[in-house]
Amino acid sequence: MSTTLRAGARHRIAFVLNGRGIEGDAEPRMLLSDFLRHALGATGTHVGCEHGVCGACTVQVDGLAVRSCLMLAVQADGRRIATVEALAGDEGELNALQKAFRRNHALQCGFCTAGILMSLDDWLAKNPDPDERSLREMLSGHLCRCTGYTGIVRAALEAAAEMRHGEEMEAAPRV
Ligand code: FES
Ligand code: FES
């Protein structure tokens, strides 16, 4: 059954944001990035180009990295959305990727960082042992005007190695 969305009208939507159910009203043309920031106050998600080029607005939708400026808020209805706020633990402790970014000075102004972290979080789960070339190819979808990418690449490779090591330790037989 199709639903007709009337321009100018507001529509009730409900989705899970960072593990918590939320409801809100959105105009049909409102971008998900704007809804997250302005309606929900999830300002960790940044907005740069607003046409899918810079990657700053990247979030995860049902576990997949997505540009939130290329998605309408009404399309989030019934989905699971994760923003950068979801990466740290309950007590605010940084995850392995965030710690590696801090250690390797992988950010300066930080404008691009939330989007890069959300893409890397998804990409490293699928590519746990990446080589530098494929990592740089993935990062070419994110514009960073400050760092020259060297620290970001180092941090991502370091975090990937740490996460692999953690999994090996968990899988190792106890003697
Ligand atoms: S703000 Fe979405 S890709 Fe630039
Ligand atoms: S750290 Fe400034 S744009 Fe990337």
Side-chain angles (χ1 to χ4, degrees):
M1 189 177 73
S2 66
T3 306
T4 305
L5 297 179
R6 282 176 294 114
R10 293 169 77 80
H11 297 269
R12 180 122 290 240
I13 56 174
F15 58 85
V16 174
L17 176 65
N18 300 335
R20 204 161 52 91
I22 65 102
E23 280 189 24
D25 297 305
E27 286 183 13
R29 66 182 177 182
M30 186 174 215
L31 301 177
L32 177 60
S33 49
D34 289 337
F35 188 77
L36 290 170
R37 289 177 56 82
H38 303 308
L40 302 179
T43 52
T45 300
H46 292 165
V47 172
C49 66
E50 286 199 295
H51 59 268
V53 175
C54 73
C57 66
T58 303
V59 300
Q60 291 176 7
V61 179
D62 294 337
L64 300 177
V66 167
R67 311 283 211 227
S68 62
C69 74
L70 294 184
M71 187 168 160
L72 298 169
V74 291
Q75 292 176 298
D77 191 41
R79 317 294 286 271
R80 243 178 340 106
I81 311 290
T83 62
V84 70
E85 286 92 344
L87 294 184
D90 290 342
E91 303 299 319
E93 67 276 16
L94 302 182
N95 75 4
L97 186 57
Q98 291 171 306
K99 283 183 189 156
F101 263 58
R102 186 166 66 183
R103 273 196 310 274
N104 288 282
H105 309 289
L107 63 147
Q108 289 180 33
C109 78
F111 195 85
C112 66
T113 309
I116 290 178
L117 288 172
M118 295 314 283
S119 277
L120 279 173
D121 184 70
D122 175 20
W123 192 77
L124 289 176
K126 295 168 185 144
N127 300 277
D129 192 5
D131 58 65
E132 183 172 333
R133 187 191 165 104
S134 59
L135 174 60
R136 283 185 180 274
E137 267 175 30
M138 191 285 276
L139 289 171
S140 69
H142 287 270
L143 301 185
C144 175
R145 298 195 301 181
C146 303
T147 64
Y149 294 87
T150 302
I152 297 172
V153 168
R154 210 168 38 222
L157 291 174
E158 202 175 280
E162 256 178 41
M163 290 188 277
R164 285 196 309 277
H165 184 64
E167 277 169 21
E168 279 164 22
M169 297 284 283
E170 270 177 32
R174 299 196 189 283
V175 286

